[in-house]
């Protein structure tokens, strides 16, 4: 069974929107695009590279696919991520796209939940969900996420799309590994572990 792994950059207050640049995603008037680079370091980059080692595919929503497909095919070939991103298989969930031009891309057909359940039973390595906030919400609501790989950066934004938005299913998480980089970024890997337990002091 292939694992679905949500890989996401977060602010300390949980915002995942537009980490990469001012024009990446200005939906709902978001004005803080590009918040990640000033609060990251090479240890974060190394951790992200490690996240891709056991994975041979990505699962993307339409917006993230469009962003990636407009960048990676012509990205700097000396960037170690360029060849990796272009060679990995991309599964794309979209109600509006009818064709995909980025190499090794497949459009999921029918209901996305059913398609992902089927995808998990196919042969292959882990599948990383990168960005794709709306898709991640759907996967979480249907208990399809096997692991979270998060970088939590030392900055507070105050507004924007959050990975764990209102209405998220209460879930206990088992920490697999947690470390802090020199920039103060928390690199955490967590697995869903049933419902939370409640107690009092």
């Amino acid at each position: 069974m292939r694992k679905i792994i949500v890989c996401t950059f977060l602010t300390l207050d949980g915002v995942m929107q537009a980490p990469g640049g001012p024009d990446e995603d200005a939906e709902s008037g978001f004005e803080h695009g590009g918040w990640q680079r000033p609060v990251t370091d090479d240890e974060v980059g190394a951790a992200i590279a490690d996240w891709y080692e056991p994975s041979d595919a990505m699962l993307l929503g339409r917006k993230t696919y469009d962003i990636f497909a407009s960048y990676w095919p012509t990205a700097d070939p000396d960037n170690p991520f360029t060849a990796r991103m272009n060679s990995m298989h991309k599964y794309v969930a979209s109600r509006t796209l009818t064709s995909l031009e980025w190499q090794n891309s497949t459009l999921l057909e029918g209901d996305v939940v059913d398609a992902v359940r089927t995808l998990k039973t196919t042969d292959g390595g882990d599948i990383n969900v990168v960005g794709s906030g709306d898709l991640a919400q759907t996967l979480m609501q249907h208990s399809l996420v096997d692991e979270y790989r998060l970088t939590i950066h030392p900055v507070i934004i105050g507004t924007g799309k959050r990975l764990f938005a209102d209405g998220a299913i209460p879930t206990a998480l088992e920490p697999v590994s947690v470390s802090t980089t020199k920039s103060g970024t928390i690199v955490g890997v967590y697995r869903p572990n049933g419902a939370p337990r409640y107690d009092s002091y």
Side-chain angles (χ1 to χ4, degrees), residues 39-62:
V39 289
T40 195
D41 57 52
D42 55 357
E43 293 176 65
V44 173
I48 294 167
D50 287 344
W51 291 355
Y52 280 82
E53 283 305 312
S55 304
D56 62 9
M58 290 184 287
L59 176 57
L60 305 172
R62 181 193 59 79

Side-chain angles (χ1 to χ4, degrees), residues 9-197:
F9 310 136
L10 300 175
T11 65
L12 192 60
D13 56 332
V15 175
M16 65 179 296
Q17 188 169 354
D23 301 321
E24 183 178 351
D25 180 4
E27 188 175 342
S28 301
F30 188 68
E31 299 178 344
H32 305 287
W35 55 262
Q36 185 196 24
R37 186 164 185 177
V39 289
T40 195
D41 57 52
D42 55 357
E43 293 176 65
V44 173
I48 294 167
D50 287 344
W51 291 355
Y52 280 82
E53 283 305 312
S55 304
D56 62 9
M58 290 184 287
L59 176 57
L60 305 172
R62 181 193 59 79
K63 292 177 185 176
T64 301
Y65 173 82
D66 285 345
I67 292 167
F68 283 9
S70 68
Y71 176 78
W72 286 110
T74 57
D76 181 0
D78 292 331
N79 180 337
F81 277 100
T82 299
R84 183 75 167 132
M85 296 294 278
N86 287 319
S87 64
M88 289 182 79
H89 202 99
K90 279 75 69 173
Y91 297 100
V92 183
S94 173
R95 299 185 187 93
T96 57
L97 293 174
T98 57
S99 62
L100 305 173
E101 296 184 4
W102 191 13
Q103 66 188 79
N104 302 323
S105 295
T106 300
L107 190 63
L108 295 179
E109 297 182 357
D111 179 75
V112 66
V113 173
D114 291 339
V116 172
R117 285 195 178 117
T118 299
L119 187 58
K120 284 168 65 77
T121 67
T122 61
D123 293 332
D126 298 338
I127 303 169
N128 291 352
V129 180
V130 185
S132 307
D134 292 342
L135 174 60
Q137 300 296 318
T138 298
L139 298 176
M140 289 189 288
Q141 289 292 330
H142 290 86
S143 302
L144 289 170
V145 177
D146 297 292
E147 193 167 280
Y148 296 94
R149 297 180 182 176
L150 310 175
T151 61
I152 304 168
H153 299 266
V155 61
I156 294 171
I157 296 299
T159 61
K161 301 173 187 174
R162 287 173 166 79
L163 176 61
F164 302 109
D166 290 347
I169 296 175
T171 305
L173 297 176
E174 173 192 356
V176 177
S177 64
V178 181
S179 61
T180 304
T181 73
K182 60 190 176 187
S183 67
T185 295
I186 298 168
V187 179
V189 179
Y190 308 90
R191 291 180 186 144
N193 190 26
R197 295 185 297 171

